[in-house]
Every structure is written in structure tokens, then in C-alpha cells.
Amino acid sequence: EAQVTQNPRYLITVTGKKLTVTCSQNMNHEYMSWYRQDPGLGLRQIYYSMNVEVTDKGDVPEGYKVSRKEKRNFPLILESPSPNQTSLYFCASSGQVDLGAEQFFGPGTRLTVL
Amino acid sequence: AQSVTQLGSHVSVSEGALVLLRCNYSSSVPPYLFWYVQYPNQGLQLLLKYTTGATLVKGINGFEAEFKKSETSFHLTKPSAHMSDAAEYFCAVSDTGGGNKLTFGTGTQLKVEL
């Protein structure tokens, strides 16, 4: 089944404790991105990747890192999480890097930073 | 930069009634427009999209949307609501910024009542 998977689905952590949220897709997609969803703000892009070893900042990159060493994986790293990073995170992928291409979303990771 | 405005963060309809969810966009170039649906505890799923061509776009689950350039609108409709349509709906526009970024509206929670 074609899908985007994220792990963990739920995470409660404390301020400053490094964490990684994994994202994997099995569709051989070139484009992957991370969004965060906050009430009243919709989804905002954090980082994106056009292909292996090619990443760039989205609208809200502060406090986050990413890497793209393999085509299928695009982990999101929070080196020193803070409470304002409490949010619902979505990974997405697309087979085409053009403006009209559909993006496929993972199930989401709900992160709470205490 | 592109932007999306969804009027009404919460919409309530009776089962069998017309569903109308409003979306207005701002774009400096011809837009590519999307509607996504998010069911509780799930990721986003594409309902429909407009890229070029016919301005009335049909999607899954009986939904459709009409692109009106003169009104900069892309409202989502369904003639007869079903209980299973209860979800959050997001309008999005492809951004001309880096990569394949989607700029989302703040979402509309649809409630369907008996």
C-alpha cells in the first residue's frame, strides 16, 4: 500500500531533550516536506526537500533540523525542544516537483513539550 | 506571497442539506488550488484540485468546487450532507516559493447534525 508513515504518533517530552520524528514514504517520491498544524493557524511548512541531500527552509524553520540521506526518509530533528514547539506535525511527499502536484500526507505526530 | 482565507472556522449543517465551505485566495500568478479533508486523528486527504482547464472541479465523496477568477474564490460544495462528512476541511494554494509548498487556510470544521 502506498503510504507515508510517521513515528512516533504521540510523544510527550521535556524541554531541551533532543528528539527525532521519522518520516518514510514507499512511493519513490522526490519531494518531501514537514508541516506543523496549530489551532487557528492551519498548516505551516517547516522544511522541504526536493531530492536526496537537497533541503531548504519553509516558513517556520526555527528550532528544527532535517536531513535527506535516502530518498524514502526525511526525519525531523528537534535538538532542544521548547514548549512553543508543542504541535501536530505532518510529513508529506509528492512525486512531482511542480505546483499542481498532489501531496500525500502522513497520519501526523502529536508532540507535547513540557 | 500567496494567501488563503477560509470564512467560518465552524460550519454546521443538517444531514441532507447543502454544504458550502468558502475559500478565497490571493495570488500574483494563476493559482493551483486544493481542498483537503482531515478526519479525526488522521492525516490530510486530497478532495479535489484545480490546475487548469474546466473551472468546475469534481472530487471524491460527491464534493465539487468552482474556480472563479473574478471573485478569487474556490468554494467547496456538496448537494447533500452525510454524517460521514463531519471533518475539518482545508483550502490550499500552491505557492511560488521554494519547492512545492502549499499555503493553507486556517481550516473549517464541518459538523453534520441529524
Side-chain angles (χ1 to χ4, degrees):
Chain A
E1 178 189 359
Q3 60 183 348
V4 179
T5 57
Q6 295 178 227
N7 283 291
R9 293 289 311 278
Y10 302 90
L11 179 60
I12 300 175
T13 188
V14 296
T15 298
K17 186 176 182 182
K18 181 179 178 179
L19 66 91
T20 299
V21 182
T22 65
C23 172
S24 183
Q25 50 90 7
N26 62 2
M27 297 170 279
N28 201 36
H29 284 173
E30 291 185 345
Y31 180 89
M32 298 184 74
S33 65
W34 278 101
Y35 292 85
R36 60 178 288 174
Q37 182 183 11
D38 301 290
L41 296 177
L43 283 81
R44 295 174 292 167
Q45 191 184 56
I46 303 170
Y47 268 95
Y48 67 93
S49 170
M50 306 274 272
N51 212 326
V52 174
E53 302 291 1
V54 181
T55 64
D56 207 347
K57 297 177 181 179
D59 292 325
V60 288
E62 294 76 21
Y64 304 94
K65 285 176 58 177
V66 293
S67 68
R68 186 93 181 271
K69 291 182 170 50
E70 303 168 284
K71 197 171 187 179
R72 65 183 296 128
N73 297 323
F74 190 45
L76 180 69
I77 303 158
L78 285 72
E79 298 248 341
S80 183
S82 62
N84 64 12
Q85 294 177 296
T86 292
S87 187
L88 180 58
Y89 291 87
F90 288 100
C91 180
S93 74
S94 178
Q96 296 169 285
V97 186
D98 63 43
L99 295 180
E102 177 181 357
Q103 293 194 36
F104 295 84
F105 286 79
T109 295
R110 187 167 293 281
L111 172 65
T112 301
V113 183
L114 301 175
Chain B
Q2 275 75 352
S3 66
V4 175
T5 301
Q6 291 184 241
L7 291 176
S9 58
H10 292 81
V11 170
S12 184
V13 299
S14 300
E15 192 174 35
L18 172 71
V19 175
L20 170 60
L21 304 183
R22 299 179 186 274
C23 173
N24 289 88
Y25 68 90
S26 168
S27 176
S28 57
V29 298
Y32 294 153
L33 296 157
F34 304 78
W35 275 100
Y36 281 85
V37 60
Q38 184 180 29
Y39 297 104
N41 299 315
Q42 294 186 28
L44 280 75
Q45 178 183 3
L46 181 67
L47 270 179
L48 50 81
K49 68 175 182 178
Y50 169 79
T51 53
T52 59
T55 56
L56 182 64
V57 181
K58 295 187 184 299
I60 61 172
N61 301 336
F63 284 93
E64 62 183 35
E66 186 171 11
F67 169 62
K68 292 187 176 181
K69 184 178 179 180
S70 61
E71 299 177 8
T72 61
S73 69
F74 191 56
H75 302 331
L76 182 71
T77 60
K78 182 174 180 178
S80 177
H82 191 272
M83 296 295 289
S84 60
D85 295 327
E88 188 157 24
Y89 292 80
F90 291 94
C91 183
V93 62
S94 277
D95 206 306
T96 54
N100 196 7
K101 187 178 80 170
L102 292 174
T103 295
F104 285 87
T106 53
T108 298
Q109 188 72 45
L110 176 65
K111 182 178 179 181
V112 182
E113 300 175 315
L114 287 171

